[in-house]
Amino acid sequence: MSAAYSVLITGANRGIGLELVRQITQTHRELTKVFACCRDPHGAKAQELRALAEKYPDIIMVLQMDVADPKSIHQAAVQVGSVVGNAGLNLIINNAAVMFRCSVLESTAEQLTSCFNTNVVGILLVIQEFLPYLRAAAKAHGKAGMSCCKAAVINVSTLGSSIQLTNDRYDEFKLVPYRTSKAALNMLSMCASLELQKDEVLCVLLHPGWVRTDMGGPNGEMDVKESVEAMLKVMKSMNEKDTGALLDYRGRNIPW
């Protein structure tokens, strides 16, 4: 990530999303803009994000975007487009997600619908709405190949999305609505990677590890700072060979 670039992060008010905003802003001097998106930018849960934006007012732009609301996504895209212009948007990190801790017999239709609306449908709409700006960024970059500093969509997935590895620790991580929605996200991302190749837009799935956040819980295997540092290192190394892949925070391929 050595050239000037812009980044959009969903679910940016807490956990991994907030730490992504913090680390990208503090460590990448070539940034033109970080669009930090969350459902309620003015609410109590966005207090840390607002404080960070006040510290870096020329870089961080906090936007209202609820990825379960198509109108909200469209409005955010219009705002981003008015800022980036012909330079386009280089990187989207689809981090926002919802999760319910329940088994097959405990899961409800409402829980499954909620997970699919946010974790799958919302990402589909983000890709559709922001694709013109990704294309513009790829064109403006000018060099062949794919990378996160050129034009890329990084969809945060999970080890729990792997059908092949479902037997591993299933009793500990049932999470059925979440798992099934993330498995669907994997397919969506693979399809998107094939369609976006002609535009030289990278599309990769990334597992951040089991992280100690509100979603991951207190027993996670790493803190959020460690996870994001590893994720950014992997993202920096990504190229066209990785498009469509599901990678973990160490850069290893996860079987689907």
Side-chain angles (χ1 to χ4, degrees), residues 23 58-59 75 108 111 144 146 158 166 178 182 187-188 192 196 208 218 220 224 227 229-230 232 237 240 244:
Q23 289 196 28
D58 295 331
I59 296 178
Q75 290 174 340
T108 66
Q111 290 170 335
M146 298 182 188
T158 173
T166 303
Y178 180 72
K182 289 294 189 175
M187 177 57 78
L188 171 64
L196 299 182
V224 68
S227 171
E229 286 175 349
L232 291 177
S237 69
E240 55 272 14

Side-chain angles (χ1 to χ4, degrees), residues 53-119:
E54 289 174 3
K55 187 176 179 180
Y56 300 96
D58 295 331
I59 296 178
I60 299 174
M61 181 175 179
V62 180
L63 296 178
Q64 193 280 328
M65 186 186 355
D66 180 353
V67 295
D69 179 3
K71 184 178 179 180
S72 171
I73 296 171
H74 175 73
Q75 290 174 340
V78 171
Q79 288 179 280
V80 169
S82 69
V83 174
V84 300
N86 293 333
L89 177 65
N90 299 102
L91 176 61
I92 296 174
I93 305 176
N94 282 308
N95 165 72
V98 296
M99 182 179 74
F100 298 97
R101 299 179 183 276
C102 46
S103 67
V104 169
L105 296 183
E106 296 166 337
S107 298
T108 66
E110 291 77 16
Q111 290 170 335
L112 199 64
T113 299
S114 177
C115 281
F116 268 77
N117 280 343
T118 297
N119 303 349

Side-chain angles (χ1 to χ4, degrees), residues 67 73 94 116-131 155 185 188 192 195:
V67 295
I73 296 171
N94 282 308
F116 268 77
N117 280 343
T118 297
N119 303 349
V120 187
V121 179
I123 291 178
L124 170 68
L125 296 178
V126 168
I127 292 172
Q128 291 175 342
E129 289 283 358
F130 288 90
L131 182 56
N155 293 328
L185 172 62
L188 171 64
E195 293 190 23

Side-chain angles (χ1 to χ4, degrees), residues 111-236:
Q111 290 170 335
L112 199 64
T113 299
S114 177
C115 281
F116 268 77
N117 280 343
T118 297
N119 303 349
V120 187
V121 179
I123 291 178
L124 170 68
L125 296 178
V126 168
I127 292 172
Q128 291 175 342
E129 289 283 358
F130 288 90
L131 182 56
Y133 311 127
L134 292 167
R135 285 172 170 160
K139 184 177 180 180
H141 189 270
K143 297 181 181 179
M146 298 182 188
S147 69
C148 286
C149 68
K150 180 176 182 177
V153 177
I154 305 301
N155 293 328
V156 178
S157 189
T158 173
L159 189 69
S161 68
S162 172
I163 295 173
Q164 185 173 333
L165 300 178
T166 303
N167 285 339
D168 296 349
R169 303 173 74 178
Y170 177 69
D171 287 340
E172 188 177 358
F173 301 106
K174 291 181 180 176
L175 311 172
V176 169
Y178 180 72
R179 280 178 173 267
T180 53
S181 68
K182 289 294 189 175
L185 172 62
N186 293 351
M187 177 57 78
L188 171 64
S189 299
M190 171 56 86
C191 294
S193 73
L194 296 174
E195 293 190 23
L196 299 182
Q197 280 183 344
K198 66 181 183 299
D199 299 308
E200 295 188 324
V201 176
L202 186 70
C203 186
V204 183
L205 294 145
L206 188 56
H207 165 57
W210 184 15
V211 187
R212 291 187 290 274
T213 62
D214 289 346
M215 181 177 288
N219 298 320
E221 296 171 341
M222 69 185 77
D223 62 31
V224 68
K225 183 177 183 292
E226 180 184 358
S227 171
V228 169
E229 286 175 349
M231 290 171 68
L232 291 177
K233 184 177 180 180
V234 172
M235 289 164 58
K236 185 177 181 179

Side-chain angles (χ1 to χ4, degrees), residues 1-20:
M1 299 183 184
S2 58
Y5 68 103
S6 56
V7 182
L8 181 141
I9 302 166
T10 67
N13 62 303
R14 62 177 183 170
I16 291 172
L18 179 62
E19 186 64 19
L20 280 165

